[in-house]
Amino acid sequence: MKTIRASIIGFGAVGQGVAKVLLDKRDYLRGIGIDMKVIAIADSRTAVVDAQGVDLASALSRKKETGAVGSDTISGTEIIRTVDHELVIETTPTNIETGGVGLVNMMAAFERGMDVVTSNKGPLALKYGEVMAAAKSSGSYCRFEATVGGAMPVINLACDVLAGNRMISMEGIFNGTCNYILSRMMEEQAPYEQMLAEAQELGIAEKDPSYDVEGIDTASKLVIVANSIFGMNVSYKDVTVTGITRITPEALSLANADGFAIKLIGEVNDSRINVAPKLVPLSHPLAVGGTLNVFSVQTDLAGPITITGRGAGSIETASAILSDIISIYRN
Amino acid sequence: MRVSMDLELKDIPGQLVLALKPVSEFKGNLISVVHHHEKRTPRGKIPVQLVFEIKSDHLDNIISLLEESGISVVSVDEKRYLEHGAVILIGHIVHTDIKDTIDKIDNTGYAEVVDLNLAMPRINRPSSASLKIDAVSKQHMSAAIELLKSIAKEKDLLVIEPIGVN
């Protein structure tokens, strides 16, 4: 049995989802020879540190009841720098402007030779090359399946399962909020503003939805895909982005009458990285509705491979994090 | 463009090869050849139907060569536009001179707007339109959509194009 000491840095929806999944899957993980011991959890204001292992169930209920995970005032970055452990589970919020605290955390982890599994897009969308170089020079693993498409296995599918294939192009829907709004506008023949309000009411869209509806979120994910799957060296500024805010219900109807849906599509090929609303034939595999995400990659040997799944949700994202953890430590 | 041609051949050996030679000489791509040997035209000749793709400026040369070889060209049906595309436009489509937008596509010579559906919900609200475009080839369709995008940029219109173009 291999004991892996881990910290969870960031204890919002995703961090809590990871804690729940680690609790649920404890016996399974032991069955495959991995004893996961969370020795620290930090949220934005507080932390709990216990070298013997934090009680995840009580950490979760404490967070739920009081809004804080612990009583320590040590920051996540300080935990990474000072507490002995092997794995940092980095689930702080994305900052696409600077990479934010996530970038600092990841670099601090690599300085100490620790492995990182993250759901944080910002650092990878901005500084993929630097982050990977730092991981490589310290001999650390850096896995980030959860950054693209939540539960959908995008990165690992292309890099591990389809190893040996040349990736020719990729397109997909990577933002469930936009997909929900467009699907509902079509169903109800209702304007964008009304369906955005509905999505906010249901908690599908944020109070400030610009990150999703202007295509920034999709663009960040495309950069990660372009760099990790297509071996490019691009950053957010290399993506041409058009969001969904100008789409009208009449446009959706006209498209529908011609046999098309309108979807916010992200695409990567050797000539461009682009996010824009596109016409998708209603019978096409990319024409998925609701909050679903879908990813289609064109390969030289396997042809087109398309997968669809839930692109967000705390447990779904935690599923991607768990699979990264297992793939690092199983062998 | 794609051409469908009805010919009449004499019933002597080597006529079919003679009929196909000009097409291959001008690098035409044969799609189908139907040789009705059992039928006879009123003039006692054998009807043959050819379908091939060819650059438009070579068609006249092919017809001349056929006629010089003594082969009768009965009818020629040119189908210039092989590619059919659809786009959606959103914005002040009418107020930014829709005629001008369509004319610019039609004037390319390789693509034209063949259908337009317009929805104008309220004055001062953006309109939406679905535009059907026919073009000579896939490449010309991409070029027509690129042109439309540049016109749309000037007129602040959003173009929604189908996936898989370019």
Side-chain angles (χ1 to χ4, degrees):
Chain A
M1 183 80 67
K2 206 184 293 177
T3 298
I4 305 299
R5 294 170 300 172
S7 60
I8 301 175
I9 310 298
F11 209 51
V14 176
Q16 291 174 58
V18 170
K20 280 179 204 153
V21 165
L22 290 179
L23 260 179
D24 286 353
K25 299 286 178 178
R26 180 167 284 166
D27 292 342
Y28 166 78
L29 286 167
R30 286 191 173 144
I32 58 169
I34 301 171
D35 180 26
M36 282 293 295
K37 196 199 264 185
V38 175
I39 51 86
I41 303 176
D43 60 25
S44 56
R45 288 172 297 126
T46 67
V48 52
V49 182
D50 184 342
Q52 299 311 306
V54 174
D55 181 337
L56 294 176
S58 49
L60 281 164
S61 59
R62 207 161 46 239
K63 179 77 182 175
K64 197 174 173 192
E65 281 155 24
T66 68
V69 69
S71 48
D72 291 353
T73 51
I74 183 169
S75 75
T77 313
E78 284 172 285
I79 289 171
I80 295 167
R81 289 195 172 127
T82 57
V83 181
D84 266 349
H85 57 298
E86 290 80 36
L87 169 68
V88 176
I89 302 171
E90 216 288 332
T91 52
T92 60
T94 282
N95 179 327
I96 195 67
E97 303 293 325
T98 63
V101 68
L103 182 59
V104 177
N105 287 341
M106 288 167 75
M107 290 307 202
F110 298 140
E111 269 169 36
R112 296 194 68 201
M114 299 153 109
D115 301 321
V116 172
V117 172
T118 187
S119 59
N120 191 339
K121 290 180 282 293
L124 294 157
L126 278 177
K127 307 212 164 175
Y128 183 84
E130 281 175 50
V131 169
M132 288 302 142
K136 194 176 177 195
S137 72
S138 63
S140 302
Y141 286 99
C142 177
R143 306 283 295 224
F144 45 88
E145 182 63 63
T147 57
V148 183
M152 286 196 308
V154 174
I155 311 284
N156 296 335
L157 174 85
C159 297
D160 298 340
V161 182
L162 293 173
N165 277 268
R166 188 171 66 82
M167 302 295 152
I168 298 163
S169 63
M170 184 283 306
E171 57 193 357
I173 298 172
F174 294 99
N175 187 281
T177 305
C178 290
N179 206 23
Y180 179 84
I181 293 171
L182 292 174
S183 303
R184 289 289 293 148
M185 281 173 71
M186 178 62 226
E187 285 163 14
E188 301 295 331
Q189 275 302 292
Y192 164 79
E193 293 79 10
Q194 192 181 326
M195 286 303 130
L196 169 63
E198 181 187 273
Q200 284 171 322
E201 190 73 38
L202 291 170
I204 293 165
E206 305 279 334
K207 253 200 191 107
D208 173 7
S210 52
Y211 188 70
D212 290 321
V213 298
E214 283 167 15
I216 303 165
D217 175 66
T218 302
S220 313
K221 290 167 179 168
L222 282 192
V223 168
I224 296 172
V225 165
N227 289 327
S228 62
I229 300 180
F230 288 80
M232 295 179 177
N233 181 21
V234 292
S235 79
Y236 178 72
K237 67 178 184 326
D238 299 303
V239 190
T240 51
V241 187
T242 308
I244 64 162
T245 53
R246 291 181 73 183
I247 307 284
T248 60
E250 296 81 27
L252 286 156
S253 276
L254 288 166
N256 193 262
D258 289 341
F260 293 105
I262 297 177
K263 301 287 180 188
L264 186 69
I265 300 288
E267 56 175 346
V268 178
N269 58 41
D270 50 9
S271 62
R272 63 175 178 177
I273 312 176
N274 181 51
V275 179
K278 289 275 173 87
L279 297 174
V280 180
L282 292 169
S283 58
H284 194 280
L286 292 191
V288 300
T291 58
L292 283 177
N293 282 21
V294 59
F295 166 88
S296 185
V297 64
Q298 187 70 237
T299 67
D300 62 344
L301 304 177
I305 305 271
T306 304
I307 49 170
T308 182
R310 291 186 192 155
S314 62
I315 298 299
E316 291 83 353
T317 306
S319 138
I321 289 176
L322 180 70
S323 86
D324 276 345
I325 293 172
I326 292 171
S327 73
I328 295 176
Y329 299 111
R330 181 157 43 194
N331 304 313
Chain B
M1 65 179 168
R2 183 171 290 202
V3 178
S4 168
M5 205 178 255
D6 288 319
L7 306 176
E8 286 185 3
L9 307 186
K10 290 175 201 149
D11 190 10
I12 52 172
Q15 288 293 294
L16 185 59
V17 175
L18 205 60
L20 299 181
K21 213 173 145 206
V23 178
S24 85
E25 220 164 88
F26 283 97
K27 300 204 167 24
N29 179 25
L30 270 171
I31 310 289
S32 75
V33 180
V34 184
H35 186 232
H36 296 286
H37 196 264
E38 73 290 355
K39 290 184 190 167
R40 285 290 186 277
T41 67
R43 288 169 293 280
K45 290 184 173 177
I46 300 170
V48 170
Q49 288 172 314
L50 298 186
V51 179
F52 56 91
E53 279 173 3
I54 189 84
K55 282 191 176 166
S56 55
D57 44 353
H58 288 160
L59 182 61
D60 287 344
N61 301 60
I62 291 177
I63 294 171
S64 313
L65 274 180
L66 286 168
E67 284 171 346
E68 279 167 28
S69 318
I71 294 167
S72 321
V73 180
V74 180
S75 73
V76 180
D77 179 23
E78 303 168 32
K79 202 172 167 200
R80 221 164 111 63
Y81 295 112
L82 298 176
E83 280 298 312
H84 309 293
V87 294
I88 298 278
L89 291 180
I90 300 174
H92 294 291
I93 299 164
V94 179
H95 298 166
T96 55
D97 194 354
I98 189 163
K99 185 174 178 304
D100 166 75
T101 307
I102 293 172
D103 282 349
K104 280 182 175 152
I105 302 292
D106 290 354
N107 290 340
T108 58
Y110 56 73
E112 62 184 45
V113 176
V114 294
D115 190 32
L116 170 76
N117 270 298
L118 190 64
M120 302 173 68
R122 236 181 301 157
I123 202 154
N124 293 334
R125 293 276 295 175
S127 328
S128 307
S130 82
L131 234 62
K132 301 264 173 58
I133 299 175
D134 282 0
V136 174
S137 68
K138 266 199 169 61
Q139 289 77 11
H140 288 95
M141 179 61 76
S142 298
I145 290 181
E146 283 309 311
L147 172 63
L148 183 62
K149 278 158 76 177
S150 72
I151 300 167
K153 202 171 175 189
E154 280 169 29
K155 299 183 174 182
D156 191 30
L157 307 175
L158 175 65
V159 181
I160 305 176
E161 57 185 305
I163 50 168
V165 175
N166 291 330

